[in-house]
Amino acid sequence: MNVKPHLILASQSPARKNLLNRSGITPEIIVSGINEEAPEYAALSPGELAYELAYQKALAVHKKLTPQINTFIIACDSVFEIDGMAYGKPEHPEIAITRLNQMKGRAGQLHTGHALIESTSGRCERALATTSVKIVDMSELEIQAYVNSGEPLQVAGSFTIDSLGGPFVESVTGDPSNVEGLSLPTLRMLFARFGIGWEHFLT
C-alpha cells in the first residue's frame, strides 16, 4: 500500500489531535459517545479498563460508518493509576484538588489503551502502553491555581504534560507521547501489524 492511510480519531481530545498533527497525520474526528461509567467496567483493573474502553470507542465509531477503503479508526483511553486505583477525568474541581493532593510528590502509572480498526474488514489490533509519571510536590496555591485554570478537569489523572501541567511533571519513565494520551510507537506497531510502515505518514 503506497497511499497514506486515512485515519479517523475516535476522540475529541485536543492533545491527541495535536500529537498526531505534529507527527504528520491530519485525522478526521468522530467521537464515539460511549458511556465510560457503565457498570460492566467497574470490576476491571486500571490497565484493563483503559484497554477495554479504547476498543469499545473504536468499535462504536466503526459501527457508525460506511466501510471506506484505506481507512483506519484509532481510539484511545487513558487511566492514571496510583495506589491501585484508576483515575480518569475528575470533571469537578473538588475531586481534582483531592486527587492532586494525593498524587503530589509521587509516581503513578499512566495506562493508555489503543485500538486500531481497519474500516472495510473490521479487523482490530489492540495494545496497552504504560508510562510511569512522577508529579512534583505541588504547593496548595499551585494546586488551587491549576484547578482554577480548568485544565485538570477534563484529563485523565487531573494533569497534562503538554500544556499548563507541564511544570508539575517531574519525570517520565517510558514513552512520553503516551502521557499526551496516545503512544506514537504503539500506533506505529499497530499499523505494522497491518503491513503498513510509518514511512507512509512521512510523505
Side-chain angles (χ1 to χ4, degrees):
M1 185 182 296
N2 295 318
V3 179
K4 179 186 291 189
H6 175 56
L7 190 65
I8 295 172
L9 177 62
S11 172
Q12 60 186 352
S13 163
R16 292 188 180 116
K17 179 177 179 291
N18 292 337
L19 183 62
L20 289 172
N21 288 162
R22 298 199 310 266
S23 304
I25 298 173
T26 304
E28 178 182 354
I29 306 297
I30 301 179
V31 180
S32 68
I34 72 162
N35 177 16
E36 299 182 26
E37 304 298 327
E40 59 263 33
Y41 305 132
L44 299 178
S45 70
E48 290 171 340
L49 179 63
Y51 189 75
E52 181 62 23
L53 285 176
Y55 174 64
Q56 294 300 328
K57 290 177 180 180
L59 190 62
V61 171
H62 181 256
K63 289 179 178 178
K64 293 179 181 181
L65 301 178
T66 301
Q68 304 172 40
I69 295 174
N70 199 32
T71 296
F72 291 81
I73 300 157
I74 178 69
C76 300
D77 189 82
S78 296
V79 172
F80 190 73
E81 177 183 359
I82 195 164
D83 295 333
M85 297 294 294
Y87 294 106
K89 302 171 185 176
E91 297 184 349
H92 299 289
E94 298 79 8
I95 296 175
I97 290 171
T98 299
R99 290 185 184 176
L100 288 169
N101 272 300
Q102 180 185 7
M103 292 158 49
K104 65 181 184 180
R106 305 178 64 195
Q109 306 299 310
L110 195 287
H111 304 289
T112 302
H114 299 71
L116 185 66
I117 295 181
E118 196 278 318
S119 177
T120 55
S121 68
R123 174 185 164 191
C124 182
E125 293 291 340
R126 305 166 67 184
L128 180 71
T130 299
T131 303
S132 178
V133 183
K134 184 176 182 181
I135 305 301
V136 302
D137 189 6
M138 301 172 70
S139 71
E140 291 301 318
L141 289 176
E142 287 174 327
I143 290 174
Q144 188 64 62
Y146 187 41
V147 171
N148 288 346
S149 76
E151 181 177 275
L153 305 185
Q154 297 301 320
V155 290
S158 310
F159 72 93
T160 63
I161 193 174
D162 58 313
S163 190
L164 299 178
F168 305 126
V169 178
E170 180 174 315
S171 63
V172 172
T173 303
D175 173 20
S177 65
N178 192 47
V179 187
E180 295 186 52
L182 191 158
S183 166
L184 291 172
T186 299
L187 181 59
R188 173 186 173 275
M189 177 188 70
L190 294 179
F191 269 114
R193 293 180 187 174
F194 286 97
I196 299 173
W198 198 257
E199 68 273 8
H200 295 293
F201 297 105
L202 301 178
T203 57

